[in-house]
Amino acid sequence: DVKVTQSSRYLVKRTGEKVFLECVQDMDHENMFWYRQDPGLGLRLIYFSYDVKMKEKGDIPEGYSVSREKKERFSLILESASTNQTSMYLCASTEGAGPYEQYFGPGTRLTVT
Amino acid sequence: QKEVEQDPGPLSVPEGAIVSLNCTYSNSAFQYFMWYRQYSRKGPELLMYTYSSGNKEDGRFTAQVDKSSKYISLFIRDSQPSDSATYLCAMSYTGNQFYFGTGTSLTVIP
């Protein structure tokens, strides 16, 4: 079974803090994605990566950056957390450049106070 | 206008009922269509996948795509309490980047 793990299930941070969300997949998948999920807005793509050291902006990249130094690990960085970044963050991975199933992690619920 | 529209519900049905979940979309270039199920406090998991128009059946689940109407549906027959979850539609034109609906919350009452 593919497993996608996220470093924290719940996280509380203060406004202005730098926040790191880590995602690790164990199936040698090439593509990795970061979404945020908000009531009434659904899943929105923040960033994705097709390969190590490669990244592409999704629909809502503002206020976020990402890092992919190793194939299995994809990090989402909030440079200066703000209250409007309070959300559920979901990481996903897929096998290759095709319409493959996205395997999701359990999510990190981030609260910025 | 959102790329993908989905009625958020909530939807509440008795056990054994037939459930119909729907999404509409605006981008006629979409050709990959998926349904995900998300249980509370978990990540979404793929339920059904269809390419282009037509129907696909898997056990109690049937996915339908009508590209002429830009409308997709998921039917659940003989619904069970274990089907209680949020159902998300997702679609793509490249197969790489997917656009998700907001999700429909379903409760099946025993």
Side-chain angles (χ1 to χ4, degrees), chain A residues 71-89:
Chain A
K71 192 174 185 179
E72 68 271 18
R73 188 179 298 269
F74 193 34
S75 302
L76 180 69
I77 304 152
L78 286 67
E79 296 291 341
S80 178
S82 63
T83 55
N84 63 12
Q85 292 178 309
T86 291
S87 185
M88 170 69 84
Y89 290 88

Side-chain angles (χ1 to χ4, degrees), chain A residues 4-22:
Chain A
V4 179
T5 56
Q6 295 183 229
S7 51
S8 305
R9 293 301 304 272
Y10 300 94
L11 210 52
V12 180
K13 295 291 181 181
R14 293 189 181 275
T15 302
E17 276 193 84
K18 190 168 186 175
V19 181
F20 293 86
L21 302 183
E22 303 285 337

Side-chain angles (χ1 to χ4, degrees), chain B residues 3-7 20-27 30-36 48-55 62-75 87-92 98-101 104:
Chain B
E3 296 262 22
V4 181
E5 298 278 358
Q6 183 176 10
D7 186 340
S20 172
L21 304 167
N22 311 294
C23 288
T24 59
Y25 61 94
S26 56
N27 190 338
F30 285 145
Q31 52 183 341
Y32 303 101
F33 304 92
M34 293 182 172
W35 285 96
Y36 282 81
M48 299 282 286
Y49 158 64
T50 48
Y51 171 72
S52 194
S53 282
N55 295 356
T62 300
Q64 287 185 353
V65 175
D66 181 348
K67 292 190 76 179
S68 62
S69 302
K70 299 194 186 72
Y71 190 87
I72 70 169
S73 300
L74 177 70
F75 296 97
Y87 290 80
L88 300 152
C89 62
M91 43 198 84
S92 172
F98 278 82
Y99 296 85
F100 284 81
T104 299

